[in-house]
Amino acid sequence: MIRTFLLILCAAASVFAVSAGLAVAQGGGSLGLDDVLDAVKTDARLTAEINDELKKNDLKAEAVICTGFRHGNQWTELSGARASPYECDIGKRSLTIEADRVYLDAKGKPLGDMKKANKKRADSFKESNFRWTWKPVK
């Protein structure tokens, strides 16, 4: 009886979330460290630190899986695209990278940050001002 009630309650909550527009709109997604390196290539110091850590651990970027922010389906042209924050475990250290992000329309005109950009017009984004921390892997 209680189990049935809980199942009904969970189902009702799911229906409410979808009808209220709160369905999984964004979240985390996996990507390779090689993709992260491509995203942060404008920051020579960060790129060097990542490459040094790879070398210390005898790893290749393609073999390291990271997570990043995943744009939800409300982003018409960017649905599924990954962005900061990125998190990667490289050897015995965990790297977290944050950045500022500006969205652009199809002509390259800035639309603003995540709060201001029109999700239907945003065609791409640029990340800058990278900030990162290293911690021991848990």
Side-chain angles (χ1 to χ4, degrees), residues 34-96:
D34 51 337
D35 294 322
V36 174
L37 280 166
D38 188 52
V40 303
K41 64 186 173 196
T42 58
D43 193 308
R45 189 170 137 232
L46 174 55
T47 303
E49 284 188 28
I50 294 170
N51 286 323
D52 287 347
E53 197 66 24
L54 287 168
K55 187 183 275 189
K56 275 192 246 179
N57 289 282
D58 196 29
L59 294 169
K60 300 214 179 293
E62 305 82 36
V64 177
I65 303 298
C66 303
T67 60
F69 170 80
R70 182 185 153 301
H71 289 84
N73 59 10
Q74 76 274 34
W75 294 89
T76 305
E77 299 297 323
L78 297 172
S79 180
R82 305 303 193 263
S84 68
Y86 305 105
E87 292 185 19
C88 309
D89 288 347
I90 306 172
K92 295 179 181 178
R93 296 177 74 194
S94 179
L95 171 65
T96 301

Side-chain angles (χ1 to χ4, degrees), residues 98-115:
E98 295 182 357
D100 296 335
R101 187 179 326 129
V102 174
Y103 291 90
L104 310 167
D105 67 13
K107 294 182 179 180
K109 180 183 174 190
L111 299 174
D113 64 12
M114 189 173 203
K115 293 178 183 176

Side-chain angles (χ1 to χ4, degrees), residues 7-19:
L7 288 173
I8 292 169
L9 185 61
C10 287
S14 296
V15 169
F16 174 77
V18 170
S19 66

